[in-house]
Amino acid sequence: MTKVPPEADQPKTGQCDTGPSDTDLTFQIEDPGVQQLVGYKTTIDRRDGSCVVQLDLQPPHLNRHGILHGGIVATVLDVVCGNTASQFFDRENHAALVTVSLTLSYVAAARGGGIAATAKVTGGGASIAHVFGELHDDEGRLLATATGVFKRIRK
């Protein structure tokens, strides 16, 4: 995993010219594996450890019915929940972890446009975090929810 500053075309957070820049407030996760295959973008906010995973839907993301594939939904929600749990454990070093369980509820279908996932920690301790995630489309419509349990691993 590589931390990189967000792209210059990121929306500004409303900071004044004398305050910290967006690149000081956020960073992007660049993973060499599934992120490259699927094409999502993962951004972490340094202020509160929150995570957003965004994906512009393309034909390979859709199932045979022309709607967002459930496996892509699961992947995006696992990524956002896992990165949120990682920040819960260690904001400075982005703790390593594994998914213990992930339960999804599919609420609505998407056929195109963009999607964005967010998550929040709902409980946990030194090595386990419980996280709740949501996936929305560009219009703010709820597409799916997830509850997950994540375990910190020591390398």
Side-chain angles (χ1 to χ4, degrees):
M1 173 204 56
T2 305
K3 295 180 188 179
V4 296
E7 297 172 17
D9 63 351
Q10 286 277 68
K12 299 295 180 193
T13 59
Q15 296 293 323
C16 64
D17 292 338
T18 59
S21 69
D22 286 346
T23 57
D24 294 333
L25 301 177
T26 63
F27 66 92
Q28 288 185 1
I29 302 295
E30 295 290 337
D31 287 324
V34 73
Q35 180 179 12
Q36 301 306 311
L37 180 67
V38 176
Y40 55 81
K41 181 172 74 172
T42 304
T43 305
I44 306 286
D45 189 315
R46 294 181 194 278
R47 295 168 291 188
D48 60 7
S50 63
C51 177
V52 176
V53 176
Q54 298 171 302
L55 176 65
D56 291 325
L57 298 181
Q58 303 297 321
H61 300 128
L62 308 179
N63 65 20
R64 67 178 181 242
H65 306 294
I67 60 176
L68 177 58
H69 192 284
I72 301 296
V73 171
T75 298
V76 169
L77 283 166
D78 185 48
V79 169
V80 76
C81 290
N83 279 294
T84 299
S86 182
Q87 291 300 109
F88 168 74
F89 293 127
D90 185 349
R91 288 220 187 129
E92 292 298 315
N93 298 306
H94 202 71
L97 54 78
V98 293
T99 305
V100 175
S101 70
L102 186 68
T103 303
L104 302 173
S105 294
Y106 297 91
V107 178
R111 295 184 183 279
I115 57 172
T118 57
K120 64 180 178 178
V121 174
T122 58
S127 64
I128 294 288
H130 297 263
V131 182
F132 175 76
E134 293 185 338
L135 181 67
H136 292 87
D137 66 11
D138 280 343
E139 298 171 3
R141 189 170 49 122
L142 180 65
L143 301 176
T145 62
T147 56
V149 178
F150 299 85
K151 180 172 179 47
R152 183 177 190 173
I153 56 174
R154 310 278 179 180
K155 292 185 177 183

